[in-house]
Amino acid sequence: MGTHIATTPFGRRPMTLGLISSQMSAKIVDQDAKVSKWQVFRDIREAKDALGATDRALAVLNALLTFHRDEELTGEANLVVFPSNEQLIRRANGMPPSTLRRHLAVLVDCGLIIRRDSPNGKRFARKGQSGAIEQAYGFDLSPILTRAQEFRELAEAVAVERKALRLVKERLTICRRDVVKLIDVGINESVPGNWSSYQRRYEAIIGGLPRTAPRQVLEAIAGELEDLWADVHQTLELFIESQNPDANESHSGRHIQNSSPNHNPNGESENGLGNEIEAGRDAEHHDNVRSLPQRDVPLGMVLSACPDIANYTKGTQIRTWRDFAAAADRARPTLGVSPGAWQEAVEVMGSQNASITLAAILQRAEHIRSCGGYLRDLTEKARSQKFSVWPMVTALLNARVGALEKAAGKGGQESPAAQERGAGAAASSLDISNALRDSMKKKGW
């Protein structure tokens, strides 16, 4: 007659179908099965959320495994361990008895161990004459052996899901950063676009991002952000391409323009400007545009040629193109340039070249009848690639240098008293002229 093995828990603990299922699984043990108990424990630890185990319950399971002397769990060995509560508490780092009992119940419910309770609920082992254990009452570790492959697969699935979650969080973080900074570029650089709509879309998407969310939710939000990024990036790309229709016109394109900054859209010349307009026509007739400089205009050169723009900086110093564009935008109303004409110039020329053109018009405003009409005329020339800001700036810079030299040379034609009064001013003007010319030579202007 075989020995009956207890299958129901001791005392008031109820029997459940889950316990019966665990016991049935534990019976199907291959006698040749062999696993490392610590490797299986690591798999269980990785898959604890899927199994429904807690970290404290795993601490108790770790303590139980230490009572199995062998490193491996095999189908031939006795897999029932029978430590007392006091021994378990010591190996579980002093866990309170009530907490120990609660987490032992969790391990049983998860199907990680099976209770083999004695008639009185005590845990012990009965040995035979040979000293081998014939009957043991305690906790059966057989489920760890029989479900080792299941635990490994669960651990691998958890690792894959964790990696996918990390990747989608990286996508989300990078996309958020890109969208915010690209929108800032569009706004700060005055790029034409519906930036307020982009900003509202971004805020609506981020507003739906919970503090803790599953991977599927994060992937959906990341997809919406990537769509927004594509729209913002396309807006900026189209603007850059509109500024460089020949792939990079400032470096390899052919510039065709009337380089005179004093061109009157009505065909009139004022205050002796006929020679300058005629010179511009001769330049177009001889096709001198092939010799235009193949580089961008430096900010320092523009400020030297157009010093009047500094009056619109609100007391600050122009250090960057952004500061320069802000000053040009403030100067626009004083020249009578309508918002529509300014917006068209920015779209056609770009924010930087449009600001340079406005600064040049401001510098010669007293000689131009309609500054707004003049800007529209230059915008149309730029649209057909017949205008560049470089000759305009160099013409203004040369005119300023010549004016300073002329002012310095007037001292010899005046009366002695006038010469004496203007000696200091003439010397100062000559110094400025020489300094500008030296600066131009050093910088290759």
Side-chain angles (χ1 to χ4, degrees):
M1 180 180 241
T3 303
H4 176 77
I5 300 177
T7 57
T8 57
F10 173 78
R12 296 181 179 180
R13 301 187 189 96
M15 187 63 181
T16 64
L17 293 177
L19 296 179
I20 297 176
S21 176
S22 299
Q23 293 171 1
M24 292 175 60
S25 300
K27 291 180 179 179
I28 310 174
V29 179
D30 188 356
Q31 296 298 315
D32 297 330
K34 181 184 300 185
V35 294
S36 170
K37 63 181 182 181
W38 298 122
Q39 178 60 52
V40 180
F41 178 76
R42 284 191 289 270
D43 293 338
I44 294 173
R45 184 175 58 196
E46 292 297 319
K48 64 182 179 65
D49 293 333
L51 294 171
T54 63
D55 52 349
R56 300 294 297 277
L58 294 185
V60 176
L61 179 60
N62 181 79
L64 285 174
L65 289 174
T66 61
F67 288 99
H68 183 76
R69 296 182 179 181
D70 297 335
E71 176 68 20
E72 295 179 335
L73 302 178
T74 63
E76 298 177 349
N78 184 8
L79 300 180
V80 178
V81 293
F82 39 89
S84 64
N85 282 353
E86 290 75 9
Q87 291 174 318
L88 270 177
I89 288 173
R90 283 197 296 269
R91 296 199 184 184
N93 304 319
M95 184 178 295
S98 59
T99 305
L100 175 68
R101 290 191 294 269
R102 185 170 65 253
H103 290 301
L104 283 172
V106 171
L107 293 176
V108 173
D109 293 338
C110 293
L112 297 175
I113 60 175
I114 298 174
R115 289 183 182 273
R116 302 294 187 189
D117 289 342
S118 66
N120 60 0
K122 300 295 183 180
R123 302 180 200 120
F124 61 90
R126 184 177 295 110
K127 298 181 179 180
Q129 295 180 354
S130 62
I133 296 177
E134 293 182 348
Q135 181 66 45
Y137 297 100
F139 300 104
D140 192 350
L141 303 179
S142 297
I144 297 179
L145 175 62
T146 57
R147 301 177 62 188
Q149 181 63 29
E150 175 189 349
F151 296 148
R152 182 179 301 109
E153 292 174 356
L154 282 175
E156 292 174 353
V158 169
V160 171
E161 179 66 20
R162 184 184 297 115
K163 181 179 179 180
L165 181 62
R166 184 176 68 252
L167 292 178
V168 73
K169 286 183 176 180
E170 291 176 359
R171 281 175 51 203
L172 188 61
T173 300
I174 293 174
C175 198
R176 289 181 64 178
R177 181 184 66 199
D178 289 351
V179 169
V180 170
K181 292 193 175 183
L182 289 179
I183 291 177
D184 287 343
V185 168
I187 295 175
N188 295 333
E189 300 294 340
S190 301
V191 177
N194 196 359
W195 301 110
S196 59
S197 175
Y198 292 150
Q199 185 70 29
R200 288 192 298 270
R201 282 178 59 187
Y202 172 77
E203 292 174 355
I205 293 172
I206 297 303
L209 180 63
R211 183 178 296 274
T212 56
R215 176 179 57 83
Q216 293 78 5
V217 174
L218 294 181
E219 285 183 346
I221 295 177
E224 294 180 7
L225 272 179
E226 288 174 347
D227 292 340
L228 175 58
W229 173 88
D231 294 340
V232 173
H233 197 260
Q234 184 180 20
T235 301
L236 295 176
E237 281 187 340
L238 291 176
F239 175 74
I240 293 174
E241 290 175 358
S242 68
Q243 306 307 303
N244 300 308
D246 290 333
N248 194 342
E249 184 180 352
S250 63
H251 291 276
S252 61
R254 177 181 177 185
H255 301 268
I256 304 175
Q257 67 152 10
N258 180 356
S259 61
S260 172
N262 306 302
H263 174 67
N264 193 326
N266 297 325
E268 299 179 1
S269 61
E270 303 177 14
N271 300 332
L273 294 182
N275 293 334
E276 294 183 15
I277 296 175
E278 195 67 26
R281 291 173 181 170
D282 292 340
E284 289 182 352
H285 177 72
H286 293 290
D287 199 17
N288 288 333
V289 293
R290 291 191 177 92
S291 62
L292 288 178
Q294 302 298 310
R295 57 185 182 275
D296 294 331
V297 184
L299 178 60
M301 181 178 178
V302 177
L303 295 177
S304 298
C306 310
D308 290 353
I309 194 66
N311 298 329
Y312 297 88
T313 59
K314 293 185 177 181
T316 60
Q317 188 175 1
I318 298 178
R319 299 181 182 274
T320 63
W321 284 113
R322 183 179 300 176
D323 300 337
F324 184 81
D329 189 61
R330 285 190 288 269
R332 176 191 59 78
T334 64
L335 295 175
V337 177
S338 66
W342 176 242
Q343 182 66 23
E344 186 179 5
V346 171
E347 291 177 357
V348 174
M349 301 182 190
S351 177
Q352 180 174 317
N353 287 340
S355 301
I356 295 173
T357 303
L358 191 73
I361 294 175
L362 174 66
Q363 195 65 31
R364 302 288 294 177
E366 59 182 2
H367 302 296
I368 302 174
R369 175 175 297 178
S370 174
C371 295
Y374 187 29
L375 179 62
R376 286 187 183 276
D377 184 59
L378 295 180
T379 300
E380 291 303 318
K381 289 180 179 295
R383 193 190 304 276
S384 58
Q385 303 181 26
K386 295 181 180 180
F387 173 72
S388 174
V389 295
W390 183 283
M392 174 182 283
V393 173
T394 54
L396 287 174
L397 191 60
N398 290 332
R400 188 181 176 210
V401 172
L404 292 175
E405 291 178 344
K406 185 177 180 180
K410 283 183 178 179
Q413 300 175 3
E414 298 176 346
S415 62
Q419 293 181 20
E420 184 176 353
R421 287 194 303 269
S428 177
S429 298
L430 184 58
D431 291 342
I432 294 174
S433 174
N434 293 334
L436 282 173
R437 190 179 297 280
D438 292 342
S439 177
M440 290 171 61
K441 289 180 180 179
K442 288 180 180 179
K443 296 181 179 180
W445 298 348

